[in-house]
């Protein structure tokens, strides 16, 4: 179906305002052409308008870029995805000795390494910042044992970024530019703040107010999604490489067609199917099944900015939404529900929520304390209702005070907590799952925390 620019611009403006999103950019590949729209303002304090050439922080959508770089190296025979990471990084170590010896790049790509995922460390602005970050990972603990379950790990993607550096002899930033951004004509994608200054850049917002800082992520967080800024159209160009079987618009092959297909193949199930709307995980890609119409993509969040990428290959459609605050998740759900329904025939699953009459569940079996790096989760009952105390601990204790959350049953294993922030929607899923060794774990934000 032809993309009706005038109609979609009006609908985009309407939904952005309704969900109090300050500014947003939308790019859609349909009928072989990239269509670009923008709405609102980049910064409520300055009133500078959002335009199609404005750049936003991509957050974890960057993981697709890093995964693509890694797969290029595998294509070239420089990297064995199933060999231990230590074959490339001999000094690589995490707190668990067995994980240190056995973790593989494939496990890092599929978030099955078990390495706790929220390790952030400012190692400076020099070109060795990622090497220093990986050196510091020797104190990072495991959420779960390698290969036993998915647990979202940004830490693992930084290790992948360091593998890229060692095998290319470049910084991650330069390898990304030379091996992907330049060949794909992504001229509005940059990783360093001094380069962002060349563009109209979005500022994240919390509520009605601009965030106090443009970014809270140091340069060392680049490969997992801390520094890359881009236009919505440039994200479409990256996704189009995968849609087109690994070739750039000028015909240059950047990935083997079999590698592209392998990245989109189901690798691991996901107990929490709602936080990032995932029906499974491939090599770098989140996988979707919208009422029988399959696709792939990724979500991202960074300092009050949010990104959503969806690809539906049967229809040849790609959609990218970048937003800078407000009820971004609701804007995504409404806009993409309508847009992709019309262009790709894909019916978006219902948003995560609770029934008018929630089921009665035996909650006692879940009582206890669940622990992952930096987070302690205490499950109990309060005033006769299922309750969760979410507390940052250890090196993350200064992030925020503990949160006390009443839970509403959705099923025997799934519960709903009030949504926290623009990324979560109205309700946040809390999912209980059993590991292969019988240990009960709690998933929040796609991260697994075993009961201790």
């Amino acid at each position: 179906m032809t993309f009706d620019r005038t109609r979609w611009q009006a609908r985009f403006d309407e939904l952005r305002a309704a969900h109090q999103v300050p500014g947003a950019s939308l790019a859609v590949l349909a009928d072989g052409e990239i269509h670009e729209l923008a709405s609102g303002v980049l910064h409520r304090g300055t009133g500078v308008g959002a335009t199609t050439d404005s750049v936003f922080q991509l957050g974890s959508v960057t993981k697709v870029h890093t995964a693509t770089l890694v797969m290029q190296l595998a294509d070239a025979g420089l990297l064995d995805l199933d060999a231990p990471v230590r074959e490339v990084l001999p000094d690589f170590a995490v707190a668990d000795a067995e994980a240190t010896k056995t973790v593989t790049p494939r496990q890092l790509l599929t978030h099955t390494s078990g390495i706790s995922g929220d390790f952030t460390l400012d190692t400076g602005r020099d070109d060795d910042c990622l090497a220093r970050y990986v050196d510091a990972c020797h104190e990072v603990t495991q959420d779960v044992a390698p290969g036993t379950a998915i647990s979202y790990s940004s830490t693992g993607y930084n290790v992948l970024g360091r593998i890229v550096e060692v095998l290319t002899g470049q910084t991650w930033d330069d390898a990304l530019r030379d091996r992907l951004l330049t060949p794909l004509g992504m001229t509005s994608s940059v990783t360093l703040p001094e380069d962002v200054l060349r563009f109209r850049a979005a500022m994240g917002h919390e509520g009605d107010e601009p965030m106090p800082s443009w970014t809270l992520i140091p340069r060392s967080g680049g490969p997992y999604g801390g520094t890359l800024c881009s236009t919505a159209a440039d994200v479409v160009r990256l996704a189009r490489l995968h849609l087109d079987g690994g070739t750039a618009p000028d015909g240059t092959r950047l990935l083997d067609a079999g590698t592209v297909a392998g990245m989109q193949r189901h690798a691991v199930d996901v107990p929490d199917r709602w936080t990032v709307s995932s029906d499974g995980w491939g090599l770098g890609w989140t996988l979707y099944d919208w009422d029988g119409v399959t696709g792939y993509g990724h979500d991202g969040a960074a300092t009050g900015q949010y990104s959503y990428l969806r690809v539906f290959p049967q229809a040849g459609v790609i959609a990218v939404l970048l937003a800078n605050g407000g009820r971004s998740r609701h804007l995504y759900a409404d806009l993409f529900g309508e847009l992709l329904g019309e262009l790709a025939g894909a019916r978006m699953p219902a948003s995560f929520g609770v029934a008018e009459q929630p089921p009665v569940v035996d909650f006692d079996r879940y009582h206890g304390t669940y622990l992952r790096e930096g987070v302690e989760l205490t499950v109990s009952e309060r005033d006769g209702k299922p309750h969760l105390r979410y507390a940052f601990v250890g090196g993350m204790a200064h992030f925020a005070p503990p949160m006390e959350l009443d839970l509403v049953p959705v099923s025997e294993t799934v519960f709903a907590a009030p949504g926290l922030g623009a990324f979560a929607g109205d309700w946040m899923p809390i999912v209980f799952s059993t590991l292969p060794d019988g240990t009960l774990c709690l998933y929040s934000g796609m991260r697994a925390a075993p009961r201790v």
Side-chain angles (χ1 to χ4, degrees):
M1 183 175 290
T2 303
F3 185 85
D4 185 337
R5 180 184 179 87
T6 301
R7 179 165 63 86
W8 283 114
Q9 180 69 66
R11 186 60 173 148
F12 187 25
D13 291 337
E14 180 183 16
L15 289 173
R16 180 200 58 77
H19 294 304
Q20 300 175 317
V21 174
S25 180
L26 172 70
V28 179
L29 177 72
D31 299 320
E33 181 182 349
I34 299 177
H35 308 271
E36 300 178 69
L37 306 176
S39 181
V41 297
L42 299 176
H43 189 302
R44 278 191 169 145
T46 64
V48 173
T51 56
T52 56
D53 59 357
S54 300
V55 298
F56 290 71
Q57 295 179 44
L58 297 188
S60 285
V61 167
T62 305
K63 290 182 172 70
V64 177
H65 300 67
T66 297
T68 303
L69 289 174
V70 168
M71 298 308 292
Q72 284 183 325
L73 297 172
D75 267 359
L78 298 174
L79 179 66
D80 182 346
L81 297 182
D82 297 306
V85 166
R86 293 193 102 181
E87 290 197 3
V88 180
L89 307 179
D91 296 329
F92 167 75
V94 289
D96 183 83
E98 187 64 22
T100 295
K101 293 187 294 183
T102 64
V103 162
T104 67
R106 187 181 301 277
Q107 291 172 337
L108 298 176
L109 286 165
T110 58
H111 297 285
T112 57
S113 72
I115 297 172
S116 203
D118 296 322
F119 177 56
T120 296
L121 181 68
D122 188 348
T123 53
R125 290 265 304 154
D126 292 339
D127 286 351
D128 68 347
C129 63
L130 192 53
R132 295 171 63 193
Y133 173 97
V134 174
D135 286 345
C137 283
H138 66 275
E139 296 183 351
V140 178
T141 59
Q142 297 294 117
D143 291 342
V144 296
T148 58
I150 193 169
S151 187
Y152 191 86
S153 179
S154 290
T155 309
Y157 269 75
N158 260 14
V159 177
L160 290 170
R162 179 59 184 154
I163 289 173
V164 169
E165 291 191 333
V166 169
L167 293 181
T168 63
Q170 298 179 284
T171 64
W172 172 82
D173 308 78
D174 289 348
L176 178 66
R177 181 195 62 217
D178 293 347
R179 298 172 70 92
L180 279 182
L181 304 184
T182 299
L184 292 174
M186 298 169 63
T187 56
S188 298
S189 297
V190 291
T191 60
L192 300 177
E194 56 266 33
D195 292 326
V196 174
L197 287 172
R198 296 189 286 116
F199 300 91
R200 296 167 71 99
M203 186 75 181
H205 292 73
E206 185 173 20
D208 291 331
E209 297 298 321
M211 298 290 287
S213 297
W214 175 70
T215 183
L216 299 175
I217 306 297
R219 183 183 175 187
S220 60
Y224 70 60
T227 61
L228 180 59
C229 295
S230 186
T231 61
D234 265 9
V235 181
V236 168
R237 293 182 179 98
L238 185 278
R240 191 173 191 174
L241 170 69
H242 294 264
L243 184 66
D244 290 345
T247 57
D250 66 359
T252 302
R253 180 159 292 283
L254 300 180
L255 276 178
D256 181 79
T259 298
V260 170
M263 292 179 70
Q264 299 165 18
R265 193 171 299 128
H266 185 280
V268 61
D269 289 328
V270 181
D272 174 3
R273 303 168 71 91
W274 302 276
T275 294
V276 293
S277 308
S278 174
D279 291 293
W281 219 274
L283 297 177
W285 288 114
T286 307
L287 306 180
Y288 311 111
D289 184 338
W290 287 15
D291 197 25
V293 180
T294 57
Y296 51 92
H298 215 288
D299 292 352
T303 320
Q305 302 191 44
Y306 305 92
S307 52
Y308 305 89
L309 162 62
R310 300 292 182 267
V311 185
F312 285 95
Q314 292 177 338
V317 171
I318 301 170
V320 173
L321 173 68
L322 308 179
N324 65 347
R327 290 159 53 90
S328 294
R329 179 81 175 200
H330 295 77
L331 172 60
Y332 149 76
D334 287 351
L335 180 63
F336 275 25
E338 296 177 18
L339 182 70
L340 294 172
E342 178 174 305
L343 298 179
R347 187 167 65 181
M348 180 183 288
S351 298
F352 180 74
V354 301
E356 192 171 317
Q357 292 294 329
V360 177
V361 175
D362 175 15
F363 194 67
D364 290 351
R365 56 182 158 163
Y366 298 128
H367 287 188
T369 299
Y370 300 75
L371 191 65
R372 59 179 169 86
E373 181 76 19
V375 176
E376 182 181 81
L377 303 147
T378 305
V379 174
S380 63
E381 290 192 19
R382 189 175 70 172
D383 299 328
K385 299 177 181 178
H387 186 76
L388 172 67
R389 185 177 193 269
Y390 191 115
F392 292 106
V393 296
M396 295 171 64
H398 64 286
F399 276 25
M403 294 174 284
E404 304 288 346
L405 305 170
D406 287 333
L407 304 181
V408 180
V410 174
S411 72
E412 287 290 331
T413 59
V414 180
F415 295 78
L420 302 173
F423 194 70
D426 292 330
W427 295 95
M428 178 176 70
I430 301 295
V431 182
F432 294 92
S433 182
T434 303
L435 301 176
D437 66 359
T439 301
L440 187 64
C441 68
L442 183 159
Y443 277 90
S444 61
M446 275 283 292
R447 280 88 165 159
R451 183 161 64 181
V452 297

